[in-house]
Amino acid sequence: MRNRMKNNPSFPIKNILVSLIASFIVLNLFCVFYYNVPVHMDCEDGSTDYVWESNKYYIQMNEGIGYGKTNNEGYMDRDDYRGEKVNVLILGTSHLQGLSVPLNDNVSSLLQEMLQENVYNLAIAGHNLKVIISNLKDALEKYHPDTVVMETNNVSFTNNEIKTVLNEAVPQIASGNEGLVGLLQRSPFLRLAYSQFQSFIAEEREPKKDKDYAGEEKINELLKLIARICEPYECRTVIFYHPTTSLDHNGNIIVNTDERTGIWSRLCQENGILYLDMSEKYLKEYRNNMILPYGFINTEIGTGHLNRHGHRMIAEELFRILKEEN
Amino acid sequence: MSFISPEFIVFFILFLSAGSLIQKFSNRRVFRIFLLIADLVFYSYFDYRFSFLLLFLTVITYFCGLKATRKPFFCLGILIPLLLLGFFKYCNFFLKTIGFSALNIILPLGISFYSFEAVSYICDIHKNRIDAEKNFILFASYLCFFPNIISGPIVRANDLLHQFKEDRKISMKNIETGIQIMAIGYFKKMVIADRIAVFVNDVYAAPKAFSWLSVLLAVLSYSIQIYMDFSGYSDIAIGISKCLGFDLKKNFDLPYLSGSVTEFWRRWHISLSSWFRDYVYIPLGGNRKGRLKQYLNLLIVMGLSGIWHGADWTFLLWGLVNGLLMCLEKPFLSVSERFPARLRKLFTFFLITLTWIFFRAENFVQVKEIFIALFTFQQGIFQPYLWSFTGFLMSVLYLLLIKHPKNGKRLYDGYYLLQDLQTVKGLTLFFIFIGLLITLAYTASNPFVYFQF
């Protein structure tokens, strides 16, 4: 039975404004418990392109369930930094940042437990190996770690990409904490709505053409640069690579290891850099425990960011190679 | 353009604005022409070549309809849409079955729906249920009506044609109702169906990888997914039509509350099941020629319904399994009344859920793997997918809200829980609902399930 509404409904502006404000408040309250990530702030010392708002509680339930509190410097490390000795410095991407897992379950927290040493997590979203290398000197200058660990999920760089790193021309990621954008970022609902909108209109990236990929010579130049930057600080250098995974129809894991990983392994050795490829570990864990390193209980399995198992696998492998080296 | 694309939002806003101006300053005839042009623009957006086929069928059906009381034109009016449907949709299926390679045929979007509308129009004229529409623009507006042309509902001529002749307007009152129905549809599709689809797709793509519990959860989740996906689309179509001032009948009537498979098919995809009932089952004799003939008719109708959904053996088997269940339960329907209603509903839901395995699987190998996983308690990846539980809870919550509406709550068509947008409270709740839709929607691509039909 249909209910009748007024024949000529009117919508006073005052009603609309009051409703918009009330609903905005409620939606922000909802997002405080569903998706509330800190704002990007400027990084004064250049260790990373930006930092998060410091000492801020965060929660994220869009991909996995991640929660914690940023430290005094705005990084997702469970300990504040007050100038103490850093044994292992982690430079990485959104994977190692660990927004999708509880703070105590990310690589740096687990590795710290295993090593019983100070592991400091400088991994931050939006960074990749190019950005990491461009910030490497500043990070080492500030923290003087015994070991620096650099994460990458890609070992296929184009000639142009390596050229920008060698020429120190890697574009910086803006913090966006000023002006209207900075103000709007304070609203968890607007942050999430913007992220949803970007995802909705995003087009699939076309795969790079083969002819663009850098050869051995260029990769060697890049690794020599890393070695040159690290040398004055006398720190052990680790690069670890974690490929993506998927499942085939028969339920077997496919680890999408880049064919260039062999070149990276050999050249890293020649340049005195420890190289770790997670492919074998991923295969072994799946065969023994039916566990995948990516995907969550609210997303596609085997894809996306590192889940708790992925963080644990990487921490275990890093622990293994660091202990072997010692 | 899909209903969940930015292009459609722009198209719809422009259409409403221009349409209301035309209605205000011009006459009904001009608006009908404008509506027809908009229908063709909408349809052509997918592929302009499809619109030539649609126009061809519209012209043929219009002229056959004028003479459909006579047998030759009646036969022509039935055969041409069915032949077109058969060629575009089933030609490759038959060629592959007999061992030939497939032809390069693109399936025109919505052909399964508008060809059935054309057939029902001709049949209704032949049976003197309706008169032939002499105004070509009016008839074309009916067959090409953009809200339902791509994925239904299948609308009968006598339900819609007369509305085009009435003084129906794009008004704030209609938009107030229509936009809320659309929002409900978008929520069902983009939040519940699309989120659940991620998990269901994972499991069906690699059934051997998952534990039996995960497979069971995926099978149950698909029941929710397909209902939310398809009924969500119907809601959007109904809501869009309402904004334009037209009323489409509801296409789903809480089907998972059915106490038998027979009842389920009276509540699920009502426009299609009633089409098959009126134009296939009853002409075949229905239940008027004895029990055995009735069973045969049921199997034929459900088999055809299955194959309508997709040109594949799994769809045919799905239809036949449903037909078989309807036949098997017939002698026991009166006996089953003695059992508690909840038990009957739960059992029916369980049966329907199992039949969806045939519908969702891409081939018989997948069907086999799913059943093996379930009944051998297969070990594997355990994935307690959160959105399956969330989707189920949301469904139960909505059901409770509509079953027990509080004073002041409005139930449109016995199903849609609408707010009074002229009050601050109603408007606030509506904006919150839209905000939740924006924040929770799955934003990667997931086309409507019935798009492919």
Side-chain angles (χ1 to χ4, degrees):
Chain A
M1 189 171 143
R2 292 176 191 168
N3 290 295
R4 290 185 182 278
M5 294 187 189
K6 283 185 188 167
N7 282 331
N8 292 312
S10 62
F11 302 95
I13 298 286
K14 189 185 85 176
N15 279 8
I16 295 173
L17 281 172
V18 169
S19 306
L20 277 172
I21 291 166
S23 57
F24 186 72
I25 292 168
V26 170
L27 287 166
N28 274 291
L29 204 61
F30 168 75
C31 287
V32 163
F33 298 99
Y34 178 73
Y35 185 92
N36 186 16
V37 295
V39 172
H40 292 191
M41 309 294 282
D42 292 326
C43 178
E44 304 295 337
D45 54 47
S47 305
T48 51
D49 278 5
Y50 70 89
V51 293
W52 298 107
E53 235 178 317
S54 56
N55 298 312
K56 186 89 164 53
Y57 286 100
Y58 62 85
I59 188 165
Q60 184 281 127
M61 293 173 72
N62 210 17
E63 183 193 24
I65 299 173
Y67 54 86
K69 184 169 166 251
T70 55
N71 72 355
N72 63 323
E73 292 200 309
Y75 294 113
M76 287 183 184
D77 191 279
R78 61 184 187 188
D79 299 317
D80 285 344
Y81 177 75
R82 303 221 184 273
E84 56 272 11
K85 174 73 182 151
V86 172
N87 300 109
V88 180
L89 184 69
I90 291 181
L91 305 173
T93 70
S94 52
H95 284 281
L96 251 59
Q97 175 189 258
L99 192 58
S100 303
V101 299
L103 186 59
N104 288 339
D105 289 340
N106 70 13
V107 169
S108 68
S109 299
L110 294 173
L111 189 59
Q112 184 160 298
E113 291 287 334
M114 291 173 190
L115 286 172
Q116 292 294 304
E117 290 177 3
N118 187 13
V119 179
Y120 196 48
N121 187 20
L122 245 61
I124 203 152
H127 285 52
N128 52 37
L129 191 60
K130 297 178 293 179
V131 176
I132 288 167
I133 296 169
S134 70
N135 295 325
L136 182 59
K137 187 170 186 300
D138 290 330
L140 294 177
E141 183 64 34
K142 180 171 179 186
Y143 297 103
H144 289 274
D146 297 328
T147 304
V148 63
V149 175
M150 287 176 276
E151 173 219 339
T152 184
N153 56 358
N154 170 37
V155 290
S156 283
F157 294 101
T158 64
N159 285 307
N160 269 342
E161 285 173 327
I162 293 186
K163 199 171 153 191
T164 56
V165 177
L166 296 173
N167 293 343
E168 296 181 29
V170 177
Q172 189 166 9
I173 303 166
S175 58
N177 60 315
E178 286 172 1
L180 183 65
V181 172
L183 188 64
L184 293 175
Q185 276 200 84
R186 301 267 167 200
S187 159
F189 166 67
L190 289 178
R191 290 283 300 279
L192 181 55
Y194 179 67
S195 165
Q196 290 281 85
F197 176 69
Q198 276 194 312
S199 175
F200 187 59
I201 62 170
E203 288 169 6
E204 277 186 35
R205 284 185 203 148
E206 281 187 21
K208 293 176 196 168
K209 295 172 196 169
D210 275 337
K211 64 182 180 185
D212 286 333
Y213 290 138
E216 270 196 46
E217 199 183 316
K218 273 278 179 249
I219 296 171
N220 200 30
E221 267 190 71
L222 186 73
L223 294 172
K224 278 195 182 324
L225 172 66
I226 293 172
R228 260 199 321 274
I229 294 171
C230 293
E231 196 190 346
Y233 302 96
E234 293 177 336
C235 64
R236 191 168 43 178
T237 313
V238 180
I239 293 175
F240 86 88
Y241 162 61
H242 59 107
T244 57
T245 61
S246 54
L247 291 173
D248 71 12
H249 173 73
N250 290 318
N252 300 315
I253 188 173
I254 300 170
V255 181
N256 301 308
T257 310
D258 194 310
E259 60 192 7
R260 286 171 186 77
T261 194
I263 297 171
W264 277 74
S265 176
R266 181 170 44 82
L267 292 175
C268 278
Q269 197 173 22
E270 287 173 14
N271 285 283
I273 298 171
L274 278 174
Y275 182 76
L276 172 63
D277 182 342
M278 291 299 298
S279 305
E280 276 307 310
K281 178 72 171 174
Y282 286 171
L283 279 168
K284 197 173 153 189
E285 280 277 343
Y286 185 74
R287 281 192 203 122
N288 294 343
N289 305 312
M290 301 292 294
I291 282 170
L292 290 162
Y294 306 99
F296 302 86
I297 58 168
N298 50 8
T299 62
E300 196 176 335
I301 201 152
T303 65
H305 285 100
L306 286 164
N307 57 29
R308 286 170 56 232
H309 302 300
H311 279 266
R312 173 187 54 78
M313 290 180 213
I314 287 169
E316 284 173 357
E317 283 299 285
L318 284 173
F319 175 71
R320 182 183 61 77
I321 66 160
L322 292 177
K323 278 293 164 195
E324 273 173 15
E325 273 296 297
N326 280 345
Chain B
M1 62 196 89
S2 162
F3 284 164
I4 51 172
S5 63
E7 297 90 341
F8 175 74
I9 307 294
V10 172
F11 166 84
F12 188 56
I13 292 171
L14 286 174
F15 175 84
L16 279 183
S17 313
S20 55
L21 281 172
I22 290 171
Q23 282 180 337
K24 192 171 179 180
F25 296 112
S26 188
N27 57 38
R28 224 181 293 165
R29 188 169 168 273
V30 174
F31 179 73
R32 284 176 204 153
I33 295 170
F34 170 72
L35 175 60
L36 181 59
I37 293 169
D39 291 336
L40 293 171
V41 164
F42 175 84
Y43 193 68
S44 303
Y45 190 86
F46 296 103
D47 191 323
Y48 70 92
R49 294 171 296 178
F50 294 165
S51 53
F52 291 121
L53 178 72
L54 175 62
L55 276 171
F56 169 73
L57 186 63
T58 304
V59 168
I60 293 288
T61 309
Y62 169 76
F63 282 112
C64 287
L66 294 174
K67 311 262 185 217
T69 47
R70 292 192 224 162
K71 206 153 190 180
F73 290 96
F74 165 67
C75 292
L76 205 62
I78 304 290
L79 271 172
I80 289 175
L82 292 178
L83 279 171
L84 285 172
L85 180 64
F87 173 72
F88 282 103
K89 194 164 177 178
Y90 302 106
C91 181
N92 281 336
F93 171 60
F94 286 119
L95 285 174
K96 278 192 276 185
T97 304
I98 59 176
F100 286 93
S101 48
L103 299 173
N104 191 18
I105 300 172
I106 307 169
L107 179 66
L109 282 169
I111 191 169
S112 303
F113 294 92
Y114 61 74
S115 60
F116 269 33
E117 284 189 351
V119 167
S120 74
Y121 174 72
I122 297 293
C123 288
D124 286 347
I125 294 170
H126 186 69
K127 292 282 180 192
N128 292 314
R129 288 187 200 127
I130 58 171
D131 295 326
E133 179 51 57
K134 292 186 174 55
N135 186 321
F136 176 76
I137 301 290
L138 267 180
F139 174 72
S141 299
Y142 154 68
L143 203 63
C144 305
F145 195 44
F146 78 85
N148 72 310
I149 192 169
I150 301 299
S151 293
I154 300 167
V155 181
R156 308 284 180 96
N158 63 351
D159 286 331
L160 191 56
L161 265 174
H162 71 91
Q163 295 190 45
F164 288 134
K165 295 173 189 173
E166 293 165 4
D167 187 25
R168 290 172 174 254
K169 290 203 185 307
I170 298 170
S171 65
M172 289 311 293
K173 175 187 161 191
N174 286 328
I175 291 174
E176 183 184 352
T177 306
I179 210 154
Q180 290 188 74
I181 297 173
M182 285 172 71
I184 290 170
Y186 278 115
F187 194 92
K188 284 159 92 176
K189 163 65 180 164
M190 296 178 77
V191 176
I192 303 177
D194 284 353
R195 291 277 185 188
I196 290 175
V198 170
F199 171 55
V200 172
N201 291 346
D202 277 344
V203 173
Y204 272 82
K208 289 184 183 177
F210 291 87
S211 67
W212 70 274
L213 262 178
S214 301
V215 173
L216 177 64
L217 185 60
V219 164
L220 289 167
S221 300
Y222 187 69
S223 293
I224 303 173
Q225 179 202 335
I226 190 160
Y227 170 68
M228 291 295 172
D229 190 290
F230 194 23
S231 68
Y233 188 97
S234 295
D235 292 340
I236 296 170
I238 290 166
I240 292 168
S241 306
K242 187 65 192 174
C243 288
L244 309 187
F246 303 111
D247 295 301
L248 298 186
K249 287 183 179 172
K250 67 183 171 195
N251 208 17
F252 294 83
D253 186 13
L254 303 173
Y256 289 138
L257 295 185
S258 305
S260 66
V261 176
T262 307
E263 188 186 349
F264 175 82
W265 281 103
R266 281 200 294 269
R267 292 169 173 250
W268 178 275
H269 199 349
I270 296 167
S271 65
L272 179 73
S273 48
S274 61
W275 191 98
F276 272 107
R277 179 198 63 211
D278 294 342
Y279 303 109
V280 182
Y281 181 69
I282 290 174
L284 282 176
N287 59 0
R288 300 190 308 272
K289 298 190 176 175
R291 196 45 79 92
L292 280 176
K293 190 80 201 307
Q294 183 191 18
Y295 292 166
L296 183 64
N297 292 339
L298 274 173
L299 287 171
I300 291 171
V301 164
M302 293 312 296
L304 286 173
S305 175
I307 205 81
W308 176 90
H309 281 82
D312 210 312
W313 293 108
T314 47
F315 289 111
L316 177 63
L317 185 60
W318 167 74
L320 289 174
V321 166
N322 272 278
L324 189 65
L325 288 172
M326 288 165 80
C327 295
L328 288 171
E329 73 179 10
K330 281 254 178 271
F332 303 103
L333 275 176
S334 53
V335 173
S336 69
E337 301 272 311
R338 293 182 208 164
F339 291 92
R342 277 185 192 161
L343 196 62
R344 281 187 278 123
K345 287 172 187 177
L346 208 60
F347 184 63
T348 305
F349 176 75
F350 168 72
L351 286 178
I352 295 294
T353 297
L354 284 180
T355 68
W356 284 132
I357 296 173
F358 298 94
F359 188 89
R360 174 59 183 78
E362 286 166 19
N363 48 55
F364 287 121
V365 171
Q366 254 182 24
V367 172
K368 190 180 88 174
E369 286 171 352
I370 295 284
F371 277 108
I372 286 172
L374 286 174
F375 292 107
T376 63
F377 300 105
Q378 176 179 285
Q379 298 304 305
I381 298 170
F382 177 57
Q383 174 74 326
Y385 192 67
L386 214 57
W387 279 103
S388 293
F389 300 102
T390 311
F392 178 71
L393 280 170
M394 284 181 178
S395 310
V396 169
L397 180 67
Y398 190 78
L399 195 64
L400 288 170
L401 285 172
I402 64 172
K403 283 289 183 191
H404 306 283
K406 284 189 181 164
N407 290 337
K409 286 279 185 291
R410 300 157 187 272
L411 268 191
Y412 182 84
D413 220 359
Y415 179 70
Y416 300 109
L417 192 61
L418 306 185
Q419 304 300 322
D420 182 356
L421 299 189
Q422 291 155 67
T423 63
V424 170
K425 182 185 167 193
L427 209 48
T428 304
L429 286 171
F430 178 66
F431 286 146
I432 290 171
F433 188 66
I434 296 296
L436 287 174
L437 168 61
I438 291 168
T439 53
L440 298 176
Y442 181 71
T443 48
S445 176
N446 236 336
F448 287 99
V449 170
Y450 270 68
F451 218 59
Q452 61 190 305
F453 309 138

